[in-house]
């Protein structure tokens, strides 16, 4: 399209030397729904006359009934109820000679004034930078090239600053990489401007320490818990970009089975960097993600901002060790099963507990017993299958 437009300009220059012509108004800006009357005038010394001229808009010939002969050397055209420009560089209104030559051209800019930008939100990844994004307004489309400028300044003093690095987090965003102050509120706003006007957003006030977040975790590890068939262990590291700052952190985990799109969220992870998922299905592949909310940076009272979820990490639980066809106990047999398991556990404790001491009795010990119990079940099942064969 640009090549065609440039070629048209080149032809315009050549033909203008042969048939001097002028379009008026030149490059007008109009609101959608407006009407335009434009005139094309050739020089009095030209061999062309008004009846030798015709008009096109974006390459499409305009109907003769829209023309009016103003004089022997001038022809006008009226275009009612203009639609928004098909391209932000403007629509091409061209005056031609009867043999198709281009005599003169004008760009029509038809659109809407910008709307007030909304929904400004900002975040910092390391207490040194700030990224902000916004929405262009309720409609957004103006049909004209619209510039967005993010500005900021210290609330009580200082001059206006203009953000320079745009489109870093989407079409309507800007990144301020350095030279920001802590513990002092900033005023932040966005200005939208085009050929039809300027619109300014509401001012947002924030302190950098209140809008800290992190990059998604890149070092999430998921592994089996020994031979426990219903559990997986999840481990990750604290955000490295914040290692030099005093802060707290909340973490969330979400996980799903391989053949499902439904995530289950674990909210009560707290500020620890590991978690054991329990109650899982044996012999099943799970996808796990982690995200972080750093808060309380230097004593900030704000709630913090959750990071994006990490990329999914996959791991599988061990397969069930029971032989195929073994029936689950009936409801009335659960109590007997529990008593039997407790008796077995305490028997195992009498044998192995001396190396731990009573003070070390914990769920970890119970897990170790479960592992040994599952191993014995597997061995018994293998022996039984060998006898049958």
């Amino acid at each position: 399209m640009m090549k065609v437009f440039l070629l048209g300009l080149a032809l315009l220059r050549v033909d203008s030397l042969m048939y001097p012509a002028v379009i008026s108004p030149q490059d007008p800006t109009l609101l959608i729904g407006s009407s335009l009357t434009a005139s094309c005038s050739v020089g009095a010394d030209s061999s062309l006359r008004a009846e030798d001229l015709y008009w096109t808009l974006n390459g499409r010939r305009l109907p003769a009934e829209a023309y009016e002969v103003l004089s022997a050397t001038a022809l006008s055209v009226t275009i009612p109820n203009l639609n928004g420009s098909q391209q932000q560089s403007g629509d091409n209104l061209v005056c031609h000679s009867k043999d198709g030559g281009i005599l003169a051209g004008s760009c029509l800019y038809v659109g809407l004034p910008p709307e007030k930008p909304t929904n400004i939100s900002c975040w910092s990844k390391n207490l040194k930078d700030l990224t902000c994004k916004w929405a262009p307004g309720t409609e957004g489309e103006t049909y004209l090239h619209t510039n967005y400028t993010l500005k900021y300044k210290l609330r009580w003093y200082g001059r206006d600053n203009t953000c320079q690095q745009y489109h870093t987090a989407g079409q309507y965003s800007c990144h301020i990489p350095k030279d920001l102050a802590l513990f002092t509120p900033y005023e932040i706003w966005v200005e939208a401007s085009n050929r039809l006007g300027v619109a300014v957003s509401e001012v947002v006030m924030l302190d950098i320490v209140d809008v800290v977040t992190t990059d998604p975790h890149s070092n999430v590890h998921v592994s089996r818990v020994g031979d426990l068939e219903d559990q997986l262990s999840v481990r990750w590291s604290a955000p490295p970009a914040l290692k030099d700052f005093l802060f707290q952190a909340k973490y969330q985990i979400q996980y799903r089975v391989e053949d499902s799109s439904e995530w289950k969220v674990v909210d009560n992870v707290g500020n620890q960097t590991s978690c054991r998922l329990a109650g899982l299905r044996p012999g099943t592949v799970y996808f796990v993600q982690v995200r972080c909310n750093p808060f309380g940076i230097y004593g900030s009272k704000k709630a913090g901002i959750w990071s994006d979820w990490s990329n999914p990490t996959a791991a599988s639980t061990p397969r069930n060790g029971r032989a195929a066809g073994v029936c689950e106990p009936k409801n009335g047999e659960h109590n007997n099963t529990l008593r039997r398991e407790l008796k077995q556990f305490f028997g195992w404790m009498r044998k192995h507990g001396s190396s731990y001491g009573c003070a070390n009795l914990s769920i970890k010990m119970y897990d170790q017993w479960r592992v040994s119990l599952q191993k014995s079940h597997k061995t018994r099942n293998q022996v039984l299958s060998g006898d049958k064969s």
Side-chain angles (χ1 to χ4, degrees), residues 23 25 56 80 130 137 214 235 254 294 299 311 321:
I23 290 180
T56 63
L130 191 69
T214 69
R235 294 180 292 108
Q254 67 175 11
N311 289 327

Side-chain angles (χ1 to χ4, degrees), residues 220-225 228-236 252-257 263-269 272 274-281 286-290 313 315 317-318 367:
V220 177
H221 303 280
V222 184
S223 58
R224 295 181 178 183
V225 183
L228 292 178
E229 60 196 26
D230 65 341
Q231 298 185 23
L232 288 173
S233 173
V234 187
R235 294 180 292 108
W236 60 93
Q252 280 186 338
I253 296 175
Q254 67 175 11
Y255 64 96
R256 64 175 176 86
V257 296
W263 293 92
K264 294 183 179 180
V265 178
V266 181
D267 282 315
N268 58 346
V269 180
Q272 59 188 355
S274 65
C275 180
R276 185 180 294 187
L277 302 177
L280 306 179
R281 298 199 313 222
Y286 283 86
F287 291 103
V288 181
Q289 293 178 295
V290 176
T313 301
T317 52
D367 287 344

